């Protein structure tokens, strides 16, 4: 057992209101420079829809992620070294700017500096990439916002097309049957990142201390194979610098114990950050399981219980500090993924072992039951209505469990049981332990899960150890700073300023 630690995130889709505050704050913090006009490290998509970039889920076209060979080994869907060599100067598997959108601004000077006259001045849209005027604006990162299920965008969703091929016209997008929900997306910081393996220059790497995937700007040569390799299309090319860029998981903030910008500014308080311990020796085997629907449970098997004394001892032997072990024990992410088992990975069939997980949305089921005149919070009614969700379980399964509807139904049943159990408590009625037992949890676990998902404070939602400070303290203890040790002083200063070199995997 080789224990490693990773900062992971869980998003509760039941609470996302699609306000895009996370996207805007991330944009202002990280991508407000020349060359990143079209770049959104964080974006919020309305599903069903095409997403950003358009149809990013269509791996038959984009060749992202891994695929399993007949011999049971993994290989990049985009091909190996020879395939990369043949496409290194002209890669056909890259999204074009129109698949993202042509970023634009307006000729505001025409309005502010136009001389007095009889004609009304206009501000034409102008491309921020080429500087040329745009005749029409056809697409944007939130172009189909709130239009999930609309006949213009929903039929082009790759998941909808796949389901229609399998079940015919079961999913229709008539007005009375339409559905939608929001999906915020950032880089998944995977355990088995295809982008890292795709990079010919070795510029992309996964940090050993916290699992964050970064791009070494000095090493990057702009080959853009990482853009193809990432199945989530969360690596971008900066046309001004000629380098690849991606979500950094706000590592300067993480290193001092602060949450990511998108997490801290989330209006719905639906993001959770914490430490996950996992067995690095199991990752390759778990990513290569034969049945795609076994990928989710296989990844869960890689995670380790931080409360287990044997795991703690192995973690210490691997160099994981007590501060990180304590954070792992208090991790809300571990509770949502492993204890309550209500969080699921995004497209596990890509075999990258993603580390940003999602609690699927349940909200429409309560309204749907209440509309029939029945009690929308009653456990029996909720359990019976899950199969009739306006958001089809089959759609959620294709998104989160590679098509395994049983796993999604189990999560939705736990969420419904929590609502029914807590409703009795809030109304002053006796606690019904049978509701909790029906989904494999105890009453105390129901209360704890409700507290975490509904009313958790900031310190409960974000449990992030301070990597840089602990390293600096250890360095100061081993090399006392004095006038005769200038090198140690400089090194400790770099650690405290989050400028220390990182270890690579």
């Amino acid at each position: 057992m080789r224990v490693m630690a990773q900062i992971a995130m869980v998003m509760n889709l039941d609470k996302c209101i699609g306000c895009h505050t996370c996207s805007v704050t991330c944009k202002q913090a990280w991508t407000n420079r020349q060359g990143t006009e079209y770049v959104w490290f964080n974006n919020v998509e309305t599903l069903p829809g095409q997403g950003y970039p358009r149809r990013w889920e269509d791996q038959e076209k984009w060749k992202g992620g891994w695929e399993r060979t007949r011999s049971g080994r993994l290989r990049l869907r985009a091909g190996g070294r020879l395939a990369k060599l043949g496409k290194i100067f002209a890669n056909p598997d890259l999204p074009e700017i129109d698949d993202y959108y042509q970023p634009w601004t307006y000729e505001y000077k025409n309005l502010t500096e136009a001389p007095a006259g009889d004609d009304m001045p206009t501000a034409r849209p102008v491309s921020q990439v080429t500087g040329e005027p745009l005749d029409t604006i056809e697409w944007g990162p939130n172009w189909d916002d709130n239009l999930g299920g609309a006949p213009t965008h929903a039929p082009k969703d790759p998941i909808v097309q796949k389901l229609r091929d399998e079940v015919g016209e079961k999913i229709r997008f008539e007005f009375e049957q339409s559905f939608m929900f929001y999906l915020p997306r950032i880089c998944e910081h995977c355990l088995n990142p295809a982008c890292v393996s795709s990079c010919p220059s070795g510029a992309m790497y996964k940090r050993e201390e916290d699992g964050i995937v970064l791009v070494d700007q000095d090493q990057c040569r702009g080959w853009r194979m990482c853009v193809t390799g990432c199945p989530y299309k969360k690596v971008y090319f900066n046309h001004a610098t000629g380098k690849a860029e991606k979500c950094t998981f706000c590592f300067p903030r993480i290193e001092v114990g602060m949450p990511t910008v998108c997490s801290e500014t989330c209006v719905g308080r639906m993001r959770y950050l914490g430490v996950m311990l996992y067995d690095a020796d199991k990752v390759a085997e778990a990513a290569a399981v034969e049945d795609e629907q076994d990928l989710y449970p296989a990844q869960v098997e890689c995670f380790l219980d931080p409360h287990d004394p044997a795991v703690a001892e192995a973690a210490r032997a691997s160099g994981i500090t007590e501060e990180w072990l304590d954070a792992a024990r208090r991790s809300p992410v571990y509770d949502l993924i492993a204890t309550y088992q209500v969080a699921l990975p995004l497209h596990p069939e890509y075999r990258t072992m993603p580390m940003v997980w999602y609690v699927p949305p349940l909200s429409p089921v309560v309204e749907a039951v209440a509309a029939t005149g029945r009690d929308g919070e009653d456990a029996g009614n909720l359990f019976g209505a899950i199969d009739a969700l306006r958001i089809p379980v089959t759609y959620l399964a294709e998104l989160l469990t590679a098509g395994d509807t049983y796993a999604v139904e189990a999560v939705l049943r736990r969420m419904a049981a929590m609502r029914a159990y807590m409703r009795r408590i809030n109304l002053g009625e006796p606690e019904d332990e049978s509701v909790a037992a029906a989904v494999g949890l105890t009453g105390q676990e129901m209360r704890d899960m409700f507290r975490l998902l509904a009313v958790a404070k900031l310190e409960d939602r974000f449990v992030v150890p301070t990597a840089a400070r602990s390293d600096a303290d250890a360095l100061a203890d081993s090399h006392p700073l004095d006038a005769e040790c200038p090198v140690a002083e400089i090194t400790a200063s770099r650690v405290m300023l989050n400028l220390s070199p990182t270890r690579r995997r």
Side-chain angles (χ1 to χ4, degrees):
M1 180 169 60
R2 183 161 60 97
V3 182
M4 301 195 77
Q6 165 129 5
I7 300 291
M9 180 183 289
V10 169
M11 302 192 205
N12 183 3
L13 299 184
D14 226 15
K15 298 173 70 177
C16 182
I17 62 175
C19 65
H20 301 276
T21 304
C22 52
S23 300
V24 173
T25 52
C26 175
K27 183 74 174 173
Q28 291 298 317
W30 295 105
T31 60
N32 58 357
R33 297 160 282 107
Q34 183 181 3
T36 61
E37 295 87 355
Y38 78 102
V39 174
W40 295 82
F41 288 166
N42 183 109
N43 70 287
V44 182
E45 300 171 0
T46 301
L47 294 182
Q50 299 185 68
Y52 179 78
R54 281 187 285 194
R55 297 179 56 82
W56 61 270
E57 295 165 295
D58 186 0
Q59 302 311 325
E60 295 298 323
K61 178 179 181 180
W62 302 124
K63 312 297 183 186
W66 303 88
E67 60 183 1
R68 188 178 186 273
T69 65
R70 292 182 178 179
S71 62
R73 298 173 62 88
L74 289 183
R75 67 182 177 193
L76 291 169
R77 188 181 291 269
R81 294 181 179 180
L82 291 178
K84 287 185 174 59
L85 184 61
K87 298 182 292 188
I88 200 164
F89 294 111
N91 187 354
D93 303 322
L94 286 174
E96 298 179 356
I97 190 65
D98 289 337
D99 292 309
Y100 296 99
Y101 73 111
Q102 188 77 239
W104 74 88
T105 185
Y106 295 94
E107 294 178 324
Y108 293 109
K109 287 186 177 181
N110 287 357
L111 301 179
T112 59
E113 300 180 1
D118 297 331
D119 298 326
M120 179 68 70
T122 60
R124 295 184 304 174
V126 177
S127 170
Q128 290 182 304
V129 176
T130 64
E132 299 296 325
L134 296 176
D135 295 331
T136 58
I137 299 173
E138 298 179 352
W139 178 257
N142 301 315
W143 202 254
D144 55 354
D145 197 21
N146 294 338
L147 294 177
T152 304
H153 301 286
K156 300 176 183 177
D157 184 324
I159 294 180
V160 171
Q161 290 186 342
K162 178 180 179 181
L163 290 175
R164 279 185 164 172
D165 291 341
E166 294 176 355
V167 299
E169 292 296 313
K170 181 179 179 180
I171 296 183
R172 294 179 178 272
F173 293 103
E174 300 171 1
F175 176 76
E176 67 275 9
Q177 294 180 332
S178 64
F179 66 94
M180 56 157 278
F181 62 97
Y182 302 109
L183 179 72
R185 293 203 304 119
I186 64 172
C187 169
E188 296 286 332
H189 296 277
C190 308
L191 297 182
N192 184 35
C195 59
V196 173
S197 297
S198 299
C199 180
S201 59
M204 299 200 70
Y205 63 100
K206 187 174 180 67
R207 300 209 309 184
E208 182 179 353
E209 59 266 37
D210 53 20
I212 296 176
V213 177
L214 297 174
V215 184
D216 186 335
Q217 295 292 294
D218 293 331
Q219 287 288 108
C220 180
R221 297 295 177 264
W223 298 120
R224 288 172 279 183
M225 296 298 173
C226 53
V227 179
T228 298
C230 175
Y232 304 98
K233 290 297 169 278
K234 278 298 174 181
V235 183
Y236 300 88
F237 180 70
N238 185 318
H239 58 84
T241 64
K243 309 285 187 180
E245 297 188 18
K246 60 178 294 298
C247 162
T248 66
F249 221 58
C250 293
F251 73 90
R253 296 171 59 92
I254 292 291
E255 287 179 353
V256 294
M258 296 175 64
T260 62
V261 169
C262 61
S263 298
E264 189 166 33
T265 59
C266 176
V267 173
R269 299 183 179 182
M270 44 77 72
R271 298 186 185 227
Y272 301 82
L273 284 169
V275 176
M276 294 292 291
L277 301 181
Y278 67 96
D279 187 350
D281 291 334
K282 290 184 177 181
V283 171
E285 180 182 355
V289 296
E290 182 175 1
D291 190 341
E292 290 182 345
Q293 294 187 1
D294 291 334
L295 286 165
Y296 157 58
Q299 184 170 356
V300 173
E301 286 295 320
C302 293
F303 298 140
L304 301 173
D305 183 359
H307 302 282
D308 187 337
V311 170
E313 189 63 30
R316 294 186 188 100
S318 298
I320 297 175
T321 65
E322 290 298 328
E323 183 181 10
W324 277 68
L325 277 174
D326 178 66
R329 296 186 187 102
R330 297 184 294 112
S331 172
V333 174
Y334 178 81
D335 286 339
L336 293 172
I337 292 176
T339 304
Y340 311 132
Q341 298 181 12
V342 294
L344 301 169
L346 181 64
H347 285 297
E349 68 271 18
Y350 298 159
R351 300 182 182 271
T352 60
M353 313 290 278
M355 290 301 286
V356 176
W357 289 39
Y358 295 85
V359 178
L362 179 67
S363 292
V365 72
V366 177
E367 287 74 18
V369 174
T372 65
R374 297 182 175 86
D375 186 349
E377 298 285 354
D378 179 79
N381 292 338
L382 284 178
F383 288 168
I386 286 176
D387 290 336
L389 267 175
R390 175 165 285 190
I391 301 177
V393 173
T394 51
Y395 184 92
L396 294 175
E398 289 293 337
L399 186 71
L400 300 171
T401 57
D404 182 9
T405 57
Y406 176 81
V408 175
E409 288 174 354
V411 171
L412 296 177
R413 286 175 63 86
R414 290 190 187 96
M415 298 286 289
M418 179 192 71
R419 293 188 179 191
Y421 185 88
M422 293 305 301
R423 186 223 189 196
R424 294 182 62 88
I425 294 177
N426 293 334
L427 293 178
E429 299 177 2
E431 299 178 11
D432 187 355
E433 295 297 326
S434 65
V435 175
V439 293
L441 297 175
T442 65
Q444 183 60 46
E445 288 175 329
M446 281 287 175
R447 289 188 290 271
D448 292 342
M449 183 168 70
F450 170 79
R451 189 176 301 110
L452 181 59
L453 290 174
V455 296
K457 296 182 179 179
L458 184 142
E459 60 269 20
D460 298 320
R461 290 184 287 119
F462 309 134
V463 181
V464 183
T466 53
R469 185 171 297 278
S470 61
D471 289 345
D473 292 341
L475 184 63
D477 292 339
S478 59
H479 298 284
L481 301 182
D482 53 39
E484 298 179 358
C485 188
V487 175
E489 182 175 1
I490 294 173
T491 305
S493 299
R494 287 176 58 83
V495 173
M496 293 299 291
L497 291 172
N498 307 312
L499 298 176
S500 58
T502 57
R503 294 172 288 174
R504 297 191 181 195
R505 293 184 193 174

